[in-house]
Amino acid sequence: MTLIMLLNSARSPKYDVRVGSTAECPPTQATDPQSGASKTCLVDRFGRFHDYLRISITDRCNFRCTYCMPEKGVKWKPRDEILTFEEIVQLVTFFAKKGVRKLRITGGEPTIRHGYIDLIRELRTNPAIEELALTTNGSRLSKDAPFLKEAGLSSINVSLDTLRADRFEAITRRSELELVLKGIEFSQAHDIPTKVNVVMMPGVNDDEIIDFVHFASSKCITVRFIEFMPFLNNNWSSCSVLSSSKIREIIGKEFQLQALDGYPSDVAREYSIPGSAGRIAFVSSVTESFCGGCSRLRLTADGELKSCLFLPPAVSLRDILRYNGTDDELEQAVATCLAGKWAGHPPMRDWAQRDHLTMVQIGG
Ligand code: SF4
């Protein structure tokens, strides 16, 4: 499909969102009301409008989580292959003109990249960006939280798969549970909306489900149970998944969770815990996929663009920048990337790895 055909298809009634597979998505405008720039390069052939860009700013991490990378780590990218902060700002300026409204800074572990708070402060000056979030392992939060608040960060997701020190060490190959818990406390104390991401792994941490509900309730925080997903070299199999419905069943024996309204593009389904400000959420990519309302694009640390978590990168935006390419060339590349996006990931029971990147290289 050529770019012109794609542009035409995005606007033609045949692909009008109201009749496509994503009927619940809001109608897509051809131009951005703020900048007047065309937004078609962010609309895929199913009418999904991609206004959420996840940016990995490093492929390095100070933890060694077993489901993310091998003990000895992965071969880090040479520094000169990694996007500079100037290049990230340039790309965000381009995407914001096209209609991106939400950014999430990820890694590897983004907080270990020197100057990342300055980058957040800089990106926050873009008036088109409504939300700027961070995903972190929390090891630096107790130090950085006040500066992140001042830099204008909207929210933080902290990855924490256990509340037990021994198990924390077994999963992350680090003994920093107390530091992470302190980081969560500091983030909340500095009034940064904070959530906790828990990758549920049967036989590893599934006996802590109720403990995490109590944690959410006592800390007035949202705990998100994430189904274990397949990434390169993480020994995933469909039987290593504890489904969200099963987790809800386990919780339902002790708590009457109340479902909360959400948006089609939300990845998590949220529930309130009666009598507490805490919440529980489920990210069910494996058993209850939410691809129909997908609004996400991903930029790897070396500037490659992915249309889906599970599809390989399609284009290098870094290379276009480095040969002084134009916005039109960036737009062409983004449209080409989205032209290859599927309606949704196939059933996981017969999963085939399509991406040559590990989770630490994608940023989740
Ligand atoms: S699996 Fe891919 S298409 Fe589906 S929600 Fe995730 S990123 Fe979007």
Side-chain angles (χ1 to χ4, degrees), residues 48 50 267 285 289-296 298 307-311 341-345 348:
R48 294 172 296 192
H50 296 70
V267 296
S285 326
S289 94
F290 34 78
C291 302
C294 184
S295 61
R296 291 164 294 284
R298 289 172 168 81
S307 65
C308 166
L309 181 56
F310 300 118
L311 285 173
K341 184 165 186 168
W342 47 26
H345 69 70
M348 295 256 184

